[in-house]
Amino acid sequence: MSTPTLPDLTSPEAAADLPAILEHLREVGGSAPASFGGAPARLFVDDADARTILSDRRFVVDAANLEGEATTLSRPDLLRHLGVEPDLIVYATQGVLDKDGIDHVRLRKLVSRTFTVRRVQAMRPGVQAITDELLAELPAHVEDGSVDLLGHFAYPLPIRVICDLVGVPEEERDIWQVWSHALTSFDLSDPARLNSTLRELVASSRRLIAAHRAREHDDLLGDLVRVTDDNGERMSEDELITMILSLVIAGHETTANLIGNGTRALLTHPDQLKPLKDDPELLPAAVHELLRWCGPVFQTRMRYAVEDVELNTGTVRRGEAAIAMIAGANRDPNVHPDPDRLDLTRHQGVPGEAHVAFGHGMHYCLGAALARLEGQVAFGSLFGAFPGLSLDPDRPASRQPNAAFNRLENLYVRV
């Protein structure tokens, strides 16, 4: 792989302005060498290339499945390099997103038997009730004429929804939000904090599993503790812990940022907000467009080529790593005409998903249906309850420096 011309994706420079890196990749033809925590990787923003990286069996997520050695760091090696303590690495490498082939199929089948579309559809009344309660309380949080929508709506909604689903007790939900926010802040300058946070999450997960084994619970974790595959196998303790962490952290951080980013986008594009207010039937298409235009995730994790792979905009040699920059792929002009324009009607009547905000292929996001549901309820209810909602010009929103997640530090609005 040629010498990187871009800052390391874990560096403060990349975190400060990841959109500029995506634009540079487009300008140089769609791909370029880079690094992640010192590990060489090639970045791609072409939609077709991203979909190939995410779905083609010539790419694997676990470097152990390569014949021969990888030419870059494996995920466990990378985590060690970044300062994660050895006994904690298992909880970042044993999830459904970390596995290929039959191991992935086994874990996905187990969770899919409990996290069903029917279950998600049945959650709508509960999601609506939580949304209505938070919106009713919003005016009470106004200070100096405005309220931080992130702290009082965008984050509380999905953390309550996912904790209800998984089975996290109400008294622990605030600390879970603090822990997961710290873990996804992507601050690699303080590995001690990262390790202590992960250790707290693991300990809490063990307590949850023990409680669910001691007494039956009618929630997702209760089902995961009981479910078996066709061969009578269950998830191991480590796999259960990793699944809890994945579901709770990914299940609320990304949705919170979708709500925050999407609200800001709508308030700064009144020409798009008006038809959404006039026609609630536009909500499903609107959520898809917001996922494309200001989605919560910039990049996927590394994939390793098991053989030389020729892509549209570059070649990945056997053993090399590729990263699909999904935020870049979602603005590929060959797929999305005039990609920088927000257009809530863009996805109306379009079968499937034209974007890759939820990934693609066998590792497609397990919680995609729930995220779409929460987005539709949140946006529809927010602007229904506060039709005159506006940004506070005296307290402008700022983006948190982060090369992995597209999220704001705050979002002050006038209700």
Side-chain angles (χ1 to χ4, degrees), residues 45-53 311-312 329 332 335:
V45 294
D46 178 85
D47 177 87
D49 287 347
R51 290 175 185 272
T52 299
I53 292 166
L311 297 171
N312 287 346
D332 184 341
V335 177

Side-chain angles (χ1 to χ4, degrees), residues 61 68 79 97 130 310 356 415:
V61 294
L79 292 170
L97 296 178
I130 295 171
E310 294 280 349
V356 288
V415 298

Side-chain angles (χ1 to χ4, degrees), residues 79 82-85 88-89 92 179 182-202:
L79 292 170
L82 294 175
V84 178
E85 293 174 2
L88 295 174
I89 289 175
W179 287 334
L183 205 61
T184 56
S185 290
F186 221 60
D187 181 6
L188 302 177
S189 65
D190 190 359
R193 180 173 179 242
L194 186 153
N195 285 305
S196 65
T197 299
L198 186 53
R199 200 170 293 282
E200 293 276 16
L201 283 163
V202 170

Side-chain angles (χ1 to χ4, degrees), residues 107-256:
L107 288 175
R108 192 167 185 109
K109 183 185 292 184
L110 285 169
V111 72
S112 295
R113 288 183 176 182
T114 60
F115 196 10
T116 62
V117 173
R118 178 179 296 178
R119 189 175 212 147
V120 170
Q121 291 173 341
M123 292 175 67
R124 180 178 283 273
V127 173
Q128 186 68 64
I130 295 171
T131 300
D132 292 343
E133 180 184 333
L134 291 170
L135 292 177
E137 296 170 351
L138 205 57
H141 297 294
V142 171
E143 293 183 5
D144 299 324
S146 62
V147 58
D148 182 10
L149 197 72
L150 292 189
H152 296 290
F153 181 62
Y155 269 96
L157 171 58
I159 191 68
R160 286 177 60 176
V161 169
I162 197 66
C163 285
D164 277 350
L165 173 66
V166 174
V168 177
E170 190 169 343
E171 64 271 16
E172 294 190 29
R173 295 177 184 184
D174 287 346
I175 191 61
W176 268 78
Q177 181 177 321
V178 172
W179 287 334
S180 64
H181 197 72
L183 205 61
T184 56
S185 290
F186 221 60
D187 181 6
L188 302 177
S189 65
D190 190 359
R193 180 173 179 242
L194 186 153
N195 285 305
S196 65
T197 299
L198 186 53
R199 200 170 293 282
E200 293 276 16
L201 283 163
V202 170
S204 181
S205 299
R206 286 195 193 283
R207 292 192 297 270
L208 281 176
I209 293 169
H212 280 70
R213 283 183 171 149
R215 180 175 63 85
E216 284 199 7
H217 290 66
D218 185 21
D219 52 44
L220 183 62
L221 179 55
D223 289 347
L224 289 175
V225 166
R226 293 185 295 270
V227 73
T228 60
D229 67 10
D230 295 334
N231 298 315
E233 292 187 29
R234 298 188 178 191
M235 287 187 184
S236 69
E237 179 96 351
D238 288 345
E239 288 171 341
L240 269 173
I241 291 172
T242 306
M243 185 62 72
I244 294 170
L245 299 183
S246 298
L247 288 172
V248 176
I249 295 173
H252 91 272
E253 278 287 342
T254 52
T255 304

